[in-house]
């Protein structure tokens, strides 16, 4: 966690008091963290799409890649509202989740539904990490009186939840069954 203080925000919040600058700094650092994570996903999602065999899975990943580019842009909107220059701070969690996904691809055979199952498992861990992050940060933005920021984060939260549901559908409708047949 970064401990140096940042410059004063260019907005006023509903609340005041000594605790607030530290809380705002924690919030801003968390935005920098998820900004790194989203940018990292823009790089890793095409690799997962390439590794997928099922057309439904490849299409789901491709659609979420487009959404993820929108998540990056939305976070840039958040930085603007905060009066802070966009800055990515390495997200150790997302780096690890992405590595796990790549490890699953390496340890499964190309062209198999088993690999697709692994890609879905890894992808849903990513979505749940994002859901946890955006859920918490939406609440925190509201607490800080940053309603416009909360609105942007809530829009992304809804898309992350949709992505998770679509992955569940792809698994249940075809991929899991095909992988069980393969065994
Ligand atoms: Fe995202
Ligand atoms: Zn993180
Ligand atoms: Fe996502």
């Amino acid at each position: 966690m970064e401990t140096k203080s940042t410059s004063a925000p260019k907005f006023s919040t509903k609340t005041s008091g000594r605790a607030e600058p530290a809380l705002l700094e924690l919030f801003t650092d968390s935005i920098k963290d998820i900004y790194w994570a989203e940018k990292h996903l823009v790089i890793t999602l095409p690799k997962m799409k390439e590794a997928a065999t099922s057309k439904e899975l490849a299409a789901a990943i491709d659609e979420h890649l487009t959404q993820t580019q929108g998540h990056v842009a939305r976070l840039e909107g958040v930085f603007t509202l905060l009066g802070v220059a966009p800055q990515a701070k390495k997200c150790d969690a997302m780096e690890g989740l992405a590595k796990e996904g790549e490890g699953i691809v390496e340890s499964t055979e190309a062209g198999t539904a088993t690999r697709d199952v692994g890609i879905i498992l890894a992808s849903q861990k990513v979505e749940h990490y994002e859901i946890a992050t955006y859920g918490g940060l939406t609440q925190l933005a509201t607490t800080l009186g940053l309603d416009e920021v909360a609105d942007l984060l809530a829009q992304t939260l809804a898309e992350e939840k949709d992505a998770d549901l679509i992955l569940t559908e792809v698994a249940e409708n075809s991929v899991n069954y095909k992988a069980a047949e393969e065994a």
Side-chain angles (χ1 to χ4, degrees), residues 9-11 31 73-87 148-149 152:
K10 289 168 184 160
F11 58 83
I31 293 293
R74 244 180 229 137
L75 287 171
E76 284 162 0
V78 168
F79 281 114
T80 300
L81 288 167
L82 292 172
V84 173
Q87 189 194 330
E148 281 180 90
V149 171
L152 286 174

Side-chain angles (χ1 to χ4, degrees), residues 38 41 64 68 71 126-127 130 160 163:
E38 294 284 17
L41 287 170
H64 197 54
T68 299
H71 300 170
V126 168
E127 295 317 316
E130 291 184 295
E160 308 295 12

Side-chain angles (χ1 to χ4, degrees), residues 160-174:
E160 308 295 12
K161 287 180 177 174
D162 278 351
D164 180 53
L165 286 175
I166 288 165
L167 288 167
T168 297
E169 279 172 22
V170 173
E172 287 179 352
N173 291 347
S174 64

Side-chain angles (χ1 to χ4, degrees), residues 50-128:
E50 276 305 304
T53 300
S54 149
K55 284 196 177 79
E56 292 92 337
L57 178 56
I61 295 171
D62 200 45
E63 196 191 323
H64 197 54
L65 172 61
T66 303
Q67 287 180 321
T68 299
Q69 287 160 342
H71 300 170
V72 170
R74 244 180 229 137
L75 287 171
E76 284 162 0
V78 168
F79 281 114
T80 300
L81 288 167
L82 292 172
V84 173
Q87 189 194 330
K89 248 180 98 174
K90 189 174 166 190
C91 174
D92 294 325
M94 188 58 78
E95 184 184 51
L97 289 168
K99 271 187 190 160
E100 189 171 303
E102 284 172 15
I104 285 171
V105 169
E106 281 165 21
S107 64
T108 51
E109 262 181 69
T112 61
T114 300
R115 177 181 277 186
D116 283 355
V117 169
I119 290 171
I120 291 172
L121 285 173
S123 300
Q124 289 195 287
K125 288 181 192 180
V126 168
E127 295 317 316
H128 279 256

